Amino acid sequence: MQKFPIKRRVGMFFGMLCLYVPLILVGGRLSLTTLREYYEFPSELSFSSFFVYGFSAIFILTPVAFFSLWPIFLGRRVSMKVQKFVTKYMIAVFIVTVAFQVGFKIYFSNKIENKGYVACPGTPKAWVPGMATRYAKDPQSCR
């Protein structure tokens, strides 16, 4: 097992603190806020199923952050057995995330169309083409 000097361990700690923790907290918070906004059904909304990846950040990066503590505090790598398990877990969560994203897109698109929303043509402002769809209850507001 590789040993880590204290200088590298301190750097790893601050790297984890500045990278993993914000991604976990901000990703989860943004996804939850977006989901809440969707279910308030405003008169206009820009729908994208990519908010699901914020939730997956919680489930993928939390174990990575946890296992990053091992070398930081103990000064050595996690065993290969644990690393293989975490890798398989991350792949499984990613596959579930993609499946959930597709399923949620189908479910929510049907739900908002049943509530009388109309898909507006074109790309919503501040979105890359193909990444989101703008829906409105009043077709006149699409223009």
Side-chain angles (χ1 to χ4, degrees), residues 21-129:
V21 174
L23 285 174
I24 292 168
L25 296 177
V26 172
R29 173 86 174 159
L30 283 174
S31 291
L32 192 60
T33 303
T34 303
L35 187 62
R36 188 176 302 132
E37 177 186 323
Y38 288 165
Y39 278 101
E40 288 175 355
F41 297 105
S43 60
E44 295 180 17
L45 83 109
S46 294
F47 173 72
S48 173
S49 59
F50 287 97
F51 80 94
V52 172
Y53 289 105
F55 287 124
S56 69
I58 295 170
F59 296 112
I60 290 175
L61 293 178
T62 300
V64 172
F66 178 73
F67 287 114
S68 295
L69 294 175
W70 188 278
I72 291 170
F73 292 114
L74 298 179
R76 54 184 158 71
R77 289 184 188 259
V78 178
S79 70
M80 286 303 290
K81 183 178 177 181
V82 172
Q83 290 180 32
K84 286 180 183 179
F85 175 77
V86 171
T87 302
K88 289 177 184 177
Y89 167 81
M90 289 171 54
I91 291 169
V93 169
F94 184 73
I95 291 169
V96 168
T97 299
V98 171
F100 184 76
Q101 174 190 2
V102 171
F104 186 79
K105 182 176 179 74
I106 293 168
Y107 163 77
F108 196 74
S109 295
N110 289 333
K111 188 168 184 84
I112 58 178
E113 287 175 6
N114 290 340
K115 288 200 173 275
Y117 283 86
V118 177
C120 297
T123 304
K125 290 181 182 178
W127 284 92
V128 175

